[in-house]
Amino acid sequence: MALILDLGGNDSYHGLIGASYDVRYGNAVVIDLAGNDRYTGAPLGLATGRLGVGLLFDGSGDDTYELSPGSGGVGLGGLGILVDTQGHDQYHGNRLTQGAAIGGLGLLIDTAGNDRYSSHGFAIGFGGPLGLGAVIDSDGDDQYQCGDVLPSAYNAHDAPDSKPGDPEFQYDCFGLGAGAGLRVLTAQPQWLNQSLAGGMGLLLDLKGHDRYQSANFSQGMGYFFGAGILLDLDGEDDYQAARYGHGASAHYGVALFIDRHGDDRYKSTGPYYNAGVAWDHSVSLTIDAGIGQDSYTFDGTTGLGKADHTGWAVFLDEGGHDAYRVKSGFGETSEQSFAAFIDLTGEDQYSLLSGVPDFRPGNSMIFSHGTGSFFQDR
């Protein structure tokens, strides 16, 4: 095992930092106890467990982590752990960073400070096939950002003439609590068995007024037998997502999104599927708990309890004077699905932009769009 122990000072680290090198040198540990440090890791080279164990522990200071692909608490057939216990820290990542795993365990733990997490994709609590990836932040007003770099395949169908920077141009994220598998789409039957079921991705924030901003497939999202979880336990938070966000699942995925407390704001660039939505044999649950005054501004998207193609989805807001604005949803279903929208208490405001015949959501009402559909405001 390789070990580096630094007792103090403002240090700079480059290259392989607490990362397993190969099968002969499988375990590596770096411990830095104090100082405002800067870590610039090589690809697969910072708190990365690659057929081994990679551990980085930073005890204090306002630290900066520059994360190349496959680094920052990443497990690839191994165990990768990054722990930072104090300071206002910044984590800047490429793809497959910050609590990500494929065939292993990747973990990033930050216990204090107003921190910033950013990545291109497949990051910030991402579980690929046979992987468990998690980010746990226990305190501070934090910012999480993922996306705006990797163009989405949906552009070819939804906006073939758009280009980066256009409002309708979409990006993919697969992060902020996302589990995803490898889904091979092919006309060749012999290639279908190359598909791989997804793992589990978790983003857990215990306290603070936080901001989440991400592109497609994010914020508690499960894709192709994967499971995605986002849990925020306290604070007044802002959630900005895109297609498939805020507790969304597709193709046999499972999704869980829970915000336990606070006056929260939810938005999406769309164009589809936010907040308790499931597609193609998937299951999703989105809960905003407590009695906060929440707003859901989904003018350009669908959701708030919506399921299609044998999906099961539930959206639940426990209380408060909330404002809902959505293109379509509120318990809509199709093709042998089940979907529910439930608001337990409070004088709420509703705006349904699609103009569904015979349905105007309001307070103290129960409604069903048809088989498998349920809307209730108590």
Side-chain angles (χ1 to χ4, degrees):
M1 182 182 76
L3 171 65
I4 294 176
L5 173 62
D6 188 286
L7 301 181
N10 301 326
D11 307 308
S12 295
Y13 297 83
H14 298 269
L16 295 175
I17 309 163
S20 52
Y21 180 67
D22 58 25
V23 294
R24 294 175 299 165
Y25 306 99
N27 304 319
V29 178
V30 171
I31 301 174
D32 189 296
L33 298 182
N36 301 324
D37 306 310
R38 187 177 189 89
Y39 300 89
T40 304
L44 308 177
L46 191 153
T48 301
R50 183 170 40 148
L51 300 177
V53 177
L55 171 63
L56 169 59
F57 176 88
D58 188 287
S60 68
D62 299 334
D63 307 306
T64 300
Y65 299 85
E66 300 291 345
L67 303 172
S68 297
S71 64
V74 173
L76 302 172
L79 173 62
I81 302 177
L82 193 166
V83 180
D84 190 297
T85 59
Q86 294 184 36
H88 306 307
D89 307 306
Q90 298 186 45
Y91 303 87
H92 304 294
N94 199 292
R95 67 183 72 186
L96 200 65
T97 66
Q98 301 165 63
I102 298 175
L105 172 64
L107 181 61
L108 192 163
I109 301 174
D110 191 295
T111 61
N114 302 326
D115 307 307
R116 298 187 63 181
Y117 304 83
S118 64
S119 182
H120 296 174
F122 305 96
I124 313 178
F126 170 77
L130 296 176
L132 171 58
V135 170
I136 301 174
D137 190 293
S138 59
D139 199 4
D141 301 335
D142 307 306
Q143 298 182 40
Y144 303 89
Q145 187 276 331
C146 180
D148 299 332
V149 174
L150 307 176
S152 175
Y154 285 117
N155 290 314
H157 178 269
D158 294 351
D161 297 325
S162 67
K163 58 183 182 299
D166 292 344
E168 64 273 18
F169 193 86
Q170 299 179 53
Y171 296 92
D172 286 341
C173 166
F174 287 101
L176 278 66
L182 176 63
R183 180 171 174 245
V184 177
L185 299 176
T186 176
Q188 304 296 325
Q190 67 272 23
W191 293 351
L192 292 176
N193 61 3
Q194 303 301 312
S195 296
L196 297 172
M200 177 179 290
L202 168 67
L203 173 53
L204 170 60
D205 190 291
L206 300 181
K207 184 179 180 181
H209 306 310
D210 307 308
R211 182 178 181 182
Y212 303 82
Q213 184 175 3
S214 54
N216 294 349
F217 306 103
S218 63
Q219 298 188 34
M221 198 280 157
Y223 179 86
F224 198 64
F225 298 96
I229 303 171
L230 190 155
L231 306 175
D232 189 295
L233 301 188
D234 197 13
E236 299 180 356
D237 308 306
D238 286 293
Y239 299 94
Q240 170 77 51
R243 190 182 200 130
Y244 287 110
H246 312 113
S249 57
H251 308 301
Y252 300 87
V254 177
L256 176 64
F257 178 107
I258 299 177
D259 185 291
R260 191 180 68 90
H261 182 264
D263 300 336
D264 307 306
R265 294 156 295 278
Y266 299 84
K267 294 183 179 180
S268 174
T269 58
Y272 305 105
Y273 265 56
N274 292 92
V277 291
W279 175 275
D280 184 21
H281 297 83
S282 297
V283 179
S284 297
L285 174 61
T286 295
I287 300 175
D288 188 288
I291 55 173
Q293 321 302 317
D294 308 307
S295 65
Y296 302 85
T297 308
F298 292 157
D299 301 59
T301 191
T302 62
L304 297 172
K306 181 174 173 60
D308 298 289
H309 300 288
T310 323
W312 287 53
V314 175
F315 170 88
L316 171 66
D317 189 293
E318 287 192 346
H321 304 312
D322 307 309
Y324 300 98
R325 185 176 176 86
V326 66
K327 188 164 61 176
S328 69
F330 289 131
E332 286 188 2
T333 65
S334 73
E335 300 185 33
Q336 299 180 321
S337 298
F338 171 80
F341 170 95
I342 303 170
D343 187 293
L344 295 182
T345 186
E347 293 297 320
D348 307 305
Q349 301 177 29
Y350 290 92
S351 179
L352 180 60
L353 305 181
S354 63
V356 177
D358 303 321
F359 177 54
R360 297 186 63 182
N363 292 284
S364 303
M365 70 174 292
I366 297 177
F367 181 84
S368 175
H369 296 275
T371 302
S373 169
F374 182 73
F375 173 97
Q376 181 179 30
D377 183 296
R378 297 180 60 185

